[in-house]
Every structure is written in structure tokens, then in C-alpha cells.
Amino acid sequence: MIIERRQNLTKDNRTPEMVRGSIKTLGSSAHTQEDRETNDYYATNPDDVIIFLDQIAADGVVLSDSIWEPACGEGHVSNVLLERGYDVLSSDIIDRGFDSAYQFDFIAPLFRHHLSSAWEDNIFDGDILTNPPFKHASTFIKQGLKRLKQGGKILLLLPLRYLETKERYYLFHKHPPKFIYVYSYRIKIGKSGNFSGSNAVAYAWYIWEKGNEADTIIKMIPHPKWRDADAE
């Protein structure tokens, strides 16, 4: 279980093997604004994560107790998951100041690491949920499915336009999402963690379940203020 994140995986009591190789504790070095933009950092508004989680729960979509957030940024998604009682493993390729995270390149080759007992033979026993860098989204999908057990889920927040292009047509044909949950409103996206600007892009959560071969089901995520619209 990844509950150690709150009990054992702190900076003060981590073991030496936890900082071996490609993994080290985040929160110890500074990065410039240019670094953040180069790494395609667009943070997720916690309120919109809550709305999504409420919607899939109402639809009977069950997540694992253990969830890996591999592009955690400043912890916007991880904190929501922790508040809901999930055992959360948070990581990112660069330091964005989230003290509970570890540095890990999610799209690097697979190897057994020392962060959690939820790993066996390079396979994560849980689900993966994140807002990935758009330019690496396809690799996140392929690598994420490799890292999961049969039945494990990878949930990625991506622009709706991710459905387009020939390359992605073949990707979706080979790995069809089980669900696509489309926001019916414009969610807040924080460029470099700043949510002050507006967003003109439509977003959706794409949910893959390893082993699923059925046609994709499209669902809508209404704004909470709209939930009584059917009664009108």
C-alpha cells in the first residue's frame, strides 16, 4: 500500500535507497519559469478534479485504493486524492515544490524502484491519474499501460482535440479508452501553476483500463450548478 507516503515517505525518515538512481526527494532545488514552460507545466484546478471524481463515483467507476500521480507538479491533484483517503504516490520529472513528491521520469524505461510496496516485477498495483505534459501524452498512455496490472486504470486529463490526428487514430484503435469524460464547461488550467488567466480549450478525462477492448463510452461532466437541468 502507498499509505507510507503519509507515514514513512517523508524527507526526514526516507531510506538511502529511496534517493538512488533516478529517484530523489523533490522540494530541494529551484527551477526557473523557463524550465516549467519547457516541461509543459499546466496545473489542474482542484475544484475540477473534485467534480470529476464525484461524477465517476456516481457512475459506478471504482478506483484503486492506491493511485500514482506521476506528473504531480505542485500537488494540486495529489492533495485532492489524499483528502479523499487514497494512498497516493506523487512524482514528477522536475522539482515544482511539492514536498511529498519524488523525482521520477515516468516515460523512462521500466525498472523496479523503492518508493512503494505496491510494485512487483515493474508493475504498479493500483491506478494512474494525472494531467500529463501534452507533448508526451501518447508516451504516457503507452508507458502507463505497461506499468499496470490487468484491470488497472490510467486516467489522463487532456484537451478534447487529443482525439484528432492520424497517429492518435491508430493509438486509440490499438488502445481504446474505456471512457472519455468531457467537461461541459471550460475548466481552469494554471499555466506554470498560475490560474489567473482564462481557458478557451475544451478538456476531458480519458480513462483506459488495461485489457479493455470494448468500444469507448463518452460521458459528460456538467457543472454542479447544472445538475438539476433535467428537472426543468
Side-chain angles (χ1 to χ4, degrees), residues 80-92:
V80 171
L81 295 170
L82 286 167
E83 289 170 2
R84 294 201 164 213
Y86 291 102
D87 302 330
V88 182
L89 173 61
S90 300
S91 65
D92 205 308

Side-chain angles (χ1 to χ4, degrees), residues 87-188:
D87 302 330
V88 182
L89 173 61
S90 300
S91 65
D92 205 308
I93 191 172
I94 63 172
D95 181 354
R96 294 191 173 101
F98 187 42
D99 287 341
S100 299
Y102 288 83
Q103 188 163 359
F104 180 81
D105 183 356
F106 183 77
I107 61 177
L110 295 171
F111 72 100
R112 184 177 179 83
H113 70 77
H114 311 280
L115 289 183
S116 171
S117 59
W119 282 81
E120 182 178 354
D121 297 329
N122 290 325
I123 300 299
F124 179 67
D125 187 8
D127 294 331
I128 296 169
L129 188 154
T130 193
N131 174 3
F134 182 80
K135 62 186 177 182
H136 296 306
S138 296
T139 309
F140 263 71
I141 295 164
K142 297 171 186 176
Q143 196 71 301
L145 290 171
K146 289 180 182 178
R147 295 183 187 277
L148 293 174
K149 290 186 173 182
Q150 285 294 112
K153 299 180 183 68
I154 177 168
L155 304 88
L156 300 184
L157 179 65
L158 294 164
L160 194 56
R161 71 177 186 274
Y162 188 73
L163 291 168
E164 302 171 347
T165 78
K166 179 179 179 180
E167 175 189 356
R168 293 171 201 151
Y169 168 80
Y170 288 115
L171 175 65
F172 283 114
H173 182 74
K174 184 176 182 179
H175 302 295
K178 187 169 185 178
F179 301 102
I180 297 177
Y181 274 82
V182 183
Y183 283 103
S184 299
Y185 62 96
R186 293 292 188 262
I187 66 173
K188 293 181 179 179

